[in-house]
Amino acid sequence: MAGLTLEIVTAEAMTYSGEVDIVIAPGIMGQMAILPHHAPLMTMLEPGELCVRKGPEETLIAISGGFLEVLDDKVVILADAAERADDIDLARAEAARRRAEERLKSGAPGVDHARAEAALRRSLARLKVAERTRKREKRLT
Ligand code: ATP
């Protein structure tokens, strides 16, 4: 019984638009679950995994940070980037993870630590969404 409208918007596309039962998002203060009748809210999101449930269906989306607003049973997420598992290029995410890890390990002067950390978290979110979705699909077949 869907009771929330969810829109996930990036500069490039509308990644999700529809009725859902629950949204679990990576808020800056930790994971947050949004159910119908949630109080109005505006918060920032960390790079991470967003989970959307509608009946028996669960969709995982990699989010690379942004804003989330809840108002009158409508959840709007403005994200820097958002990808469903099918749209994730695994080799690219792996390469981004390795690059970020090497930068963080190198301790070389000129490495922007915060930037490398953020890149690492984006890549890990993508890898996790792809892996978890693949495992789930395997279980269902
Ligand atoms: P990279 O270093 O590989 O560009 P990134 O984390 O810096 O990774 P972003 O700046 O978060 O990339 O995203 C830029 C654009 O590329 C966005 O449209 C995002 O959806 C897309 N993108 C980034 N990585 C992937 C990936 N592994 N699979 C699919 N799309 C990706």
Side-chain angles (χ1 to χ4, degrees):
M1 198 188 65
L4 285 172
T5 306
L6 172 66
E7 283 181 3
I8 303 177
V9 186
T10 71
E12 287 163 13
M14 176 86 89
T15 306
Y16 197 105
S17 173
E19 300 295 308
V20 304
D21 295 325
I22 180 167
V23 178
I24 303 169
I28 49 167
M29 306 293 279
Q31 263 212 345
M32 46 195 291
I34 317 282
L35 288 151
H37 312 301
H38 198 286
L41 170 77
M42 202 178 230
T43 187
M44 286 176 79
L45 297 177
E46 296 275 9
E49 196 183 12
L50 185 94
C51 175
V52 179
R53 291 195 193 129
K54 183 179 180 179
E57 226 177 87
E58 189 172 85
T59 307
L60 298 177
I61 296 169
I63 290 277
S64 58
F67 293 94
L68 176 149
E69 182 196 56
V70 186
L71 188 64
D72 294 338
D73 283 339
K74 182 168 180 183
V75 181
V76 178
I77 293 174
L78 301 178
D80 299 323
E83 304 100 30
R84 295 177 190 230
D86 282 352
D87 297 321
I88 292 172
D89 177 338
L90 268 182
R92 179 174 168 180
E94 264 300 343
R97 181 181 66 82
R98 268 199 306 273
R99 214 163 42 236
E101 280 177 347
E102 276 159 20
R103 282 196 179 118
L104 289 169
K105 260 197 305 200
S106 76
V111 168
D112 182 336
H113 214 264
R115 187 173 160 190
E117 279 279 2
L120 179 61
R121 283 157 77 172
R122 290 196 299 276
S123 66
L124 291 176
R126 287 174 176 127
L127 292 168
K128 200 165 153 197
V129 163
E131 171 76 357
R132 287 190 57 194
T133 303
R134 191 185 58 79
K135 273 195 183 146
R136 179 168 316 140
E137 282 168 1
K138 212 165 142 194
R139 246 186 284 129
L140 296 175
T141 53

